[in-house]
Amino acid sequence: MKMILLRKFRVLILMVFLIACSMHIMIDLLPKLERHSNSGCSCSHSPSEEPQSWGKQGWPNKHTLRILQDFSNEPSSNVSSHSLERIPVTGDKTQSVKRLEHYGQRGDRKRPFIQDATVTKNMPVKGSRLSALYDHPLYKRSPPPLTDEDTLFNVNTDIRFDPKAAEDQEWNGEGTMDEFSPTGELTADSYPNWLRFHIGINRYELYSRHNPVIDALLKDLVTQRITSVAMKSGGTQLKLIMTFQNYGQALFKPMKQTREQETPPDFFYFSDFERHNAEIAAFHLDKILDFRRVPPVAGRLVNMTKEIRDVTRDKKLWRTFFISPANNVCFYGECSYYCSTEHALCGKPDQIEGSLAAFLPDLALAKRKTWRNPWRRSYHKRKKAEWEVDPDYCEEVKQTPPYDSGTRLLDIMDMTIFDFLMGNMDRHHYETFEKFGNETFIIHLDNGRGFGKHSHDEMSILVPLTQCCRVRKSTHLRLQLLAKEEYKLSMLMAESLVRDRLSPILIQPHLDAMDRRLRQVCANLEVDHLKSVMDKKKKREIR
């Protein structure tokens, strides 16, 4: 009797196992069957309609899902520096070049872009302050002539594209990389705007002053159809990687605070919210300062249902969507801080603001080096960093490579001024392009913790400047120019920011705070200049 029961139990276990295997196989095959049966265009609900049932969403096959999981959960994704793209698992440059070819090959057909009334109204008039600024001699200095060693890419040898691929508008991201073969040479003007931006990067700048590609790329960030979304691994708060129809990619930071909200006084700098409008404003400020070291950023109103939930293949992200008691679509994702139902991101009913920062080139094509900021904060509730207790700390930095020669220390001073004007205390690392060695600029990435307090000026941000008493002459002259009434920084920022789709980006108190902080920077530079003059006199007297 016991033997019979044991056999029946074993048969039961076997049947359960077979049923489970069958269910897994059916789940894997279901998306493919759905694609074949739903070959026509599917209708999407409007923002005001009831969101679609989530149970009807199809999932990718295992191979595609594995790639996307690697994309969103890569352990070495520059956690410390919060770079704007993942690091490939294999580091195979050939594979990345192929992907870049494939991306560039399939551009969109040019479609007429109809601006709405608000955008047309917000365009600056001729003869504006911003135009006058860029016509000033200080903003007309050209970089040195560029050689092959000064450009990030050699277009003729590094990048090739298939022009016929752009004709296929039905592509849905599931074809093979070898589906098309190169058939001829294309000019750089025919490349997608994100690639033209990458090609324009050189030793001295991310983009040139009057490069029309930047405006076109900003428009792409706002208008291109989003084809896939995945969470970015690393970092303290939720960020999404969005891929567009033209194969460009951008980092999406959703809105967490209103324009009027200030950082609570009891918040530490490392637990502050990351603000989407700070990323947008930082790009415009960087351009007005003529640094041009922040990748292009634009604001966009995103439909959380159609443009995130319905296109994501990241199950961890998809599972965090829910409907709030107010009947709004919400999600929270996975991250170190503020990723819970208590800190969920909710739409109205499913529309949410966010910043989209264009990606830099893939690390397999253009490696970047991550550097620890010498004036990095302790990121501790009680401990202080060495520079906070040692007034002669800069003397040690000056004797340490790469700050003992070249322009790196002056780049740090530029970044210090940039951060002080924004009130950004979260500058723990920075990056440079490895190809250019130490003789290149610092990339100003991850500016989301700026513009948190307009009522407070954090003077400790200026410590590198006060300790080292050094600044570029060109930077000093531009700061003096921006302090004048006819080139007032707050007015220039307001005029520049009004072009963004999410305008207004900053409230007036933040604009006024930049003018106040600029005066403090200029005052510090005058004091430093007097100190250097006095030191020179003392040295002469000793001699």
Side-chain angles (χ1 to χ4, degrees):
M1 188 68 180
K2 289 183 180 180
M3 290 297 294
I4 294 173
L5 290 174
L6 183 60
R7 287 177 183 176
K8 287 183 178 181
F9 179 74
R10 287 177 178 176
V11 171
L12 181 63
I13 294 296
L14 181 60
M15 290 180 65
V16 170
F17 176 75
L18 291 174
I19 292 171
C21 291
S22 302
M23 289 179 67
H24 279 288
I25 293 171
M26 290 299 297
I27 290 171
D28 285 341
L29 292 175
L30 184 60
K32 294 182 179 179
L33 294 173
E34 286 181 355
R35 291 191 203 105
H36 288 297
S37 61
N38 299 327
S39 58
C41 296
S42 59
C43 297
S44 301
H45 70 279
S46 63
S48 58
E49 294 173 357
E50 188 69 21
Q52 300 172 3
S53 172
W54 300 343
K56 297 180 181 179
Q57 299 303 313
W59 289 103
N61 57 50
K62 285 185 176 179
H63 177 69
T64 308
L65 184 58
R66 191 178 300 114
I67 293 173
L68 287 162
Q69 285 173 340
D70 291 341
F71 182 85
S72 60
N73 298 318
E74 172 60 26
S76 57
S77 59
N78 276 347
V79 173
S80 60
S81 57
H82 303 285
S83 291
L84 295 188
E85 81 286 310
R86 68 185 180 97
I87 299 176
V89 177
T90 61
D92 183 11
K93 183 173 181 178
T94 304
Q95 183 180 359
S96 297
V97 170
K98 285 184 179 179
R99 189 175 71 251
L100 189 59
E101 289 175 2
H102 196 60
Y103 286 0
Q105 290 164 1
R106 297 172 167 270
D108 293 332
R109 287 194 181 97
K110 294 183 179 178
R111 297 187 298 271
F113 174 67
I114 302 173
Q115 288 184 323
D116 56 28
T118 57
V119 176
T120 306
K121 180 181 68 176
N122 289 339
M123 291 299 289
V125 296
K126 191 175 181 180
S128 64
R129 289 176 187 252
L130 210 53
S131 300
L133 179 75
Y134 294 141
D135 284 336
H136 194 277
L138 286 174
Y139 287 78
K140 287 185 174 293
R141 296 179 180 178
S142 301
L146 299 177
T147 65
D148 288 344
E149 293 300 316
D150 296 327
T151 56
L152 195 60
F153 295 115
N154 186 329
V155 181
N156 294 327
T157 59
D158 290 348
I159 306 170
R160 296 172 63 88
F161 300 98
D162 176 13
K164 287 191 175 181
E167 299 174 4
D168 181 13
Q169 297 297 320
E170 298 296 325
W171 189 89
N172 61 6
E174 294 166 12
T176 61
M177 297 298 292
D178 298 325
E179 192 173 333
F180 301 100
S181 60
T183 58
E185 297 294 335
L186 291 178
T187 62
D189 291 340
S190 63
Y191 296 164
N193 292 315
W194 60 267
L195 182 58
R196 295 171 68 190
F197 161 57
H198 291 176
I199 292 171
I201 298 173
N202 60 61
R203 182 185 297 274
Y204 308 104
E205 57 196 5
L206 274 181
Y207 55 91
S208 57
R209 285 191 186 94
H210 306 293
N211 188 351
V213 172
I214 301 305
D215 287 335
L217 178 57
L218 291 173
K219 188 173 80 172
D220 284 349
L221 292 173
V222 176
T223 60
Q224 277 284 320
R225 182 169 64 86
I226 299 167
T227 58
S228 69
V229 177
M231 287 188 293
K232 182 185 183 299
S233 60
T236 57
Q237 300 181 35
L238 178 66
K239 294 179 280 287
L240 302 178
I241 298 172
M242 292 186 169
T243 304
F244 303 113
Q245 189 177 12
N246 69 351
Y247 302 91
Q249 290 183 310
L251 189 70
F252 180 77
K253 289 190 177 182
M255 177 178 176
K256 295 185 179 74
Q257 286 184 311
T258 64
R259 309 289 196 275
E260 294 75 24
Q261 284 180 290
E262 279 197 288
T263 301
D266 293 326
F267 268 40
F268 286 98
Y269 53 88
F270 50 82
S271 58
D272 190 11
F273 290 109
E274 292 188 21
R275 287 164 284 275
H276 73 299
N277 59 319
E279 293 284 359
I280 301 167
F283 166 69
H284 289 263
L285 176 61
D286 175 82
K287 189 176 180 182
I288 288 173
L289 293 173
D290 202 38
F291 293 154
R292 286 167 283 120
R293 301 166 194 171
V294 174
V297 184
R300 178 165 177 164
L301 194 64
V302 174
N303 186 304
M304 296 166 63
T305 306
K306 293 192 296 182
E307 296 181 307
I308 300 179
R309 194 203 69 190
D310 289 357
V311 299
T312 186
R313 300 188 177 184
D314 188 335
K315 286 187 177 180
K316 292 181 179 179
L317 172 63
W318 188 85
R319 286 168 180 161
T320 64
F321 275 84
F322 64 93
I323 301 294
S324 72
N327 205 33
N328 294 322
V329 178
C330 305
F331 74 101
Y332 51 87
E334 289 187 0
C335 61
S336 304
Y337 290 92
Y338 310 123
C339 282
S340 62
T341 52
E342 292 80 15
H343 298 98
L345 304 166
C346 296
K348 295 181 180 179
D350 55 0
Q351 303 283 311
I352 189 169
E353 288 185 13
S355 64
L356 280 164
F359 267 22
L360 294 174
D362 193 292
L363 291 176
L365 297 171
K367 292 182 180 179
R368 299 199 304 274
K369 188 169 183 178
T370 301
W371 305 79
R372 181 187 173 96
N373 184 359
W375 281 271
R376 181 186 188 273
R377 295 178 184 273
S378 65
Y379 288 82
H380 194 276
K381 296 180 180 67
R382 291 176 296 276
K383 293 180 182 178
K384 288 189 175 183
E386 185 179 350
W387 59 267
E388 294 181 276
V389 295
D390 182 5
D392 298 322
Y393 177 77
C394 185
E395 296 304 316
E396 297 180 19
V397 175
K398 289 177 185 177
Q399 299 172 20
T400 307
Y403 310 103
D404 57 346
S405 62
T407 61
R408 183 62 58 82
L409 189 61
L410 296 175
D411 286 337
I412 293 287
M413 299 304 118
D414 286 348
M415 186 170 64
T416 295
I417 294 168
F418 176 61
D419 284 336
F420 179 70
L421 293 175
M422 296 190 296
N424 179 27
M425 301 172 67
D426 185 37
R427 187 69 68 183
H428 43 81
H429 288 78
Y430 65 86
E431 295 185 9
T432 60
F433 287 106
E434 194 173 286
K435 176 180 177 179
F436 304 134
N438 293 335
E439 297 299 322
T440 187
F441 61 92
I442 289 173
I443 308 170
H444 295 166
L445 297 174
D446 200 6
N447 306 296
R449 287 196 169 122
F451 299 103
K453 293 182 181 180
H454 54 72
S455 58
H456 173 71
D457 301 336
E458 184 54 53
M459 299 306 296
S460 65
I461 301 174
L462 276 184
V463 166
L465 192 65
T466 56
Q467 286 184 347
C468 297
C469 302
R470 287 189 183 184
V471 72
R472 273 191 177 90
K473 183 179 179 181
S474 58
T475 299
H476 191 187
L477 291 174
R478 283 195 296 271
L479 293 175
Q480 290 176 325
L481 181 69
L482 294 172
K484 295 181 179 179
E485 189 64 30
E486 57 267 37
Y487 297 105
K488 198 172 184 181
L489 179 58
S490 60
M491 300 293 288
L492 293 167
M493 280 291 290
E495 183 179 333
S496 184
L497 290 170
V498 80
R499 300 177 178 184
D500 193 89
R501 287 290 183 90
L502 299 184
S503 178
I505 302 301
L506 296 177
I507 59 174
Q508 191 60 41
H510 279 299
L511 298 172
D512 296 337
M514 279 192 287
D515 288 333
R516 184 179 67 244
R517 292 163 186 165
L518 178 58
R519 290 193 295 269
Q520 292 172 336
V521 173
C522 291
N524 270 280
L525 292 176
E526 292 301 323
V527 171
D528 293 342
H529 177 68
L530 289 173
K531 284 182 180 179
S532 63
V533 171
M534 294 297 292
D535 290 341
K536 288 179 181 178
K537 284 185 178 180
K538 287 181 180 179
K539 289 179 180 178
R540 287 172 186 170
E541 290 174 358
I542 292 172
R543 289 176 183 173

